[in-house]
Amino acid sequence: MGEAGETQAEQSPAASGWSVWRAIRVLSLCAALMAVAGALAGYLVLEYVRGPGVARGPVAIAIPEGASGRQVGDLLADAGLVEHELLFRMAMRLDKSGDTIKHGEHRVPQGSSPAEVLRALQQTPEVELGKVKVTIPEGLTIAQTAPLIEDSAGVLAAALKVSAKEALGIDAPSLQGFLMPNTYYFETAPTGEQLVTRMLEQFRAEWEKLAAEFPEAAKDPVRIVTVASLIEEEARVAEERPLVAAVIYNRLEKGRTLDMDSTLQFALNKYGQRLLDEDKAVDSPYNTYRVAGLPPGPISNPGLASLRAALAPAKVKYLYFVSNADGKTHTFSNTLKEHEAAVAKYRKEIRTQRREVKQQDED
């Protein structure tokens, strides 16, 4: 203690009592301030939900029949029309009109408050959703997409007929990567050309929003979509997409080959099969075990989450990742030594799993 200080034993009862009283007053003041801050925060949230927004260009949003409030909120959040689905559900709870959300395709201005978004969805939609539902999953190539509708040949023909330059103003080798996965509705079974047109329109709408959000990163759409297609093929859980993106960019920056099985599968059209060591010697610009840099173009059609990850990678120094034995997650590493240890662990766990399966079969 300093010269002017007193030991605990030297403090008088009155001084000690005053210290306790002062502590109680300070705690009470802190509690009051926290209560005021909480009330102010709650008021600001309510005002944000109920108040007017700053309307910009409209965004097309399709609300399927029977969707719950949370499902609608998730769709709106994915489209960038609300910050979080909870804000939309709050607007629904505050709404006293009794009007219901109309299923169909609406045009909702960006920048609208959650209450304004709700009112827009309560109006008659501009387009009634058709009776035919076509769901295109993320990560499919154009060839894999074609068989999902009856006119599969039409999909392939349309993809060859239309160029990315003509449709999107993007100088890309093909439409591969630029057909946006989504659920689409048609009045009747769509032709291949109709499906390709709708997927291109959806990509354009989504890309415009992403480009506005990440103007610098989005200057090279072919590069971003190519990276996104790799992320789509390599990542299995949402939280790992930005990490996979970081590994790709970190290896590119250091001039290392990407060494990705997904590009080799695309080069060999060898999906769902085990890749062999001799496969890694194939002469193809898509063989990232031999050719440094990105492949010439996207290897699949990535979804919105992978595009976002390609535009906003995690700020980490990872250079490696390897699958875990669960078949979904990965172990990320900074050094080759760490990576080799992760690979050894994976192989050991896989061997254990195989022995257990074999034992179960024998029993």
Side-chain angles (χ1 to χ4, degrees):
M1 299 290 292
E3 292 181 1
E6 293 180 320
T7 65
Q8 187 173 3
E10 293 172 337
Q11 292 179 354
S12 67
S16 178
W18 171 250
S19 296
V20 172
W21 173 244
R22 185 168 57 181
I24 292 173
R25 289 183 63 189
V26 170
L27 289 172
S28 298
L29 179 59
C30 289
L33 289 173
M34 289 175 66
V36 170
L40 178 60
Y43 171 78
L44 292 175
V45 170
L46 282 175
E47 284 301 297
Y48 171 75
V49 170
R50 297 181 300 191
V54 181
R56 300 192 299 276
V59 173
I61 182 77
I63 307 299
E65 188 172 6
S68 66
R70 179 165 191 159
Q71 289 170 330
V72 174
D74 286 336
L75 289 172
L76 294 170
D78 289 342
L81 289 168
V82 296
E83 292 293 328
H84 195 280
E85 60 91 12
L86 284 173
L87 296 173
F88 178 72
R89 285 199 284 158
M90 184 180 293
M92 292 181 66
R93 286 196 294 270
L94 294 171
D95 182 52
K96 305 298 182 184
S97 69
D99 295 336
T100 58
I101 294 173
K102 306 292 194 304
H103 72 273
E105 187 172 292
H106 298 262
R107 296 287 189 276
V108 181
Q110 295 181 69
S112 300
S113 70
E116 290 173 330
V117 172
L118 175 60
R119 286 194 289 273
L121 299 185
Q122 290 170 338
Q123 307 304 310
T124 300
E126 293 191 18
V127 180
E128 296 287 345
L129 294 183
K131 301 178 179 64
V132 179
K133 176 182 176 181
V134 178
T135 298
I136 310 297
E138 294 88 348
L140 299 184
T141 64
I142 294 174
Q144 292 167 335
T145 299
L148 297 181
I149 67 168
E150 186 175 345
D151 184 22
S152 57
V155 173
L156 300 175
L160 290 174
K161 177 182 175 183
V162 181
S163 72
K165 184 73 172 178
E166 294 170 339
L168 304 169
I170 296 173
D171 192 9
S174 72
L175 294 187
Q176 189 85 269
F178 300 93
L179 301 183
M180 180 59 72
N182 208 335
T183 296
Y184 298 95
Y185 295 86
F186 300 88
E187 284 299 323
T188 59
T191 65
E193 186 172 355
Q194 287 173 326
L195 178 62
V196 168
T197 298
R198 287 283 293 278
M199 295 179 75
L200 282 170
E201 289 174 351
Q202 188 68 22
F203 177 88
R204 184 188 297 109
E206 299 290 1
W207 182 255
E208 286 176 356
K209 288 182 287 183
L210 289 171
E213 187 176 354
F214 305 100
E216 287 300 316
K219 286 182 177 179
D220 189 345
V222 176
R223 175 181 171 85
I224 292 299
V225 176
T226 300
V227 171
S229 71
L230 301 180
I231 297 168
E232 194 68 67
E233 298 308 298
E234 297 289 342
R236 291 293 176 268
V237 293
E239 57 268 25
E240 288 190 357
R241 294 180 194 276
L243 297 175
V244 172
V247 171
I248 293 170
Y249 289 125
N250 290 343
R251 292 185 71 89
L252 290 174
E253 186 178 349
K254 291 182 177 294
R256 300 193 183 187
T257 54
L258 295 179
D259 297 352
M260 290 188 165
D261 287 353
S262 56
T263 62
L264 204 53
Q265 289 172 328
F266 178 80
L268 298 170
N269 193 26
K270 195 173 181 179
Y271 295 95
Q273 303 175 54
R274 184 179 178 183
L275 291 172
L276 306 175
D277 286 339
E278 52 261 36
D279 291 332
K280 296 178 182 179
V282 65
D283 184 15
S284 168
Y286 287 90
N287 182 0
T288 56
Y289 282 94
R290 291 188 60 183
V291 182
L294 289 172
I299 62 171
S300 69
N301 292 301
L304 188 58
S306 291
L307 287 167
R308 184 173 289 276
L311 288 161
K315 295 180 179 179
V316 293
K317 296 181 179 180
Y318 293 139
L319 289 170
Y320 307 90
F321 63 87
V322 64
S323 178
N324 293 325
D326 61 8
K328 295 181 181 179
T329 61
H330 295 82
T331 295
F332 293 82
S333 304
N334 291 315
T335 67
L336 180 58
K337 184 177 180 180
E338 292 173 350
H339 178 61
E340 288 174 342
V343 171
K345 180 182 177 183
Y346 164 75
R347 289 174 177 169
K348 180 180 179 181
E349 291 177 352
I350 287 296
R351 285 196 298 269
T352 300
Q353 287 182 9
R354 288 172 179 168
R355 281 198 301 268
E356 291 174 350
V357 170
K358 184 178 180 181
Q359 185 63 44
Q360 290 173 1
D361 290 342
E362 291 175 354
D363 293 344

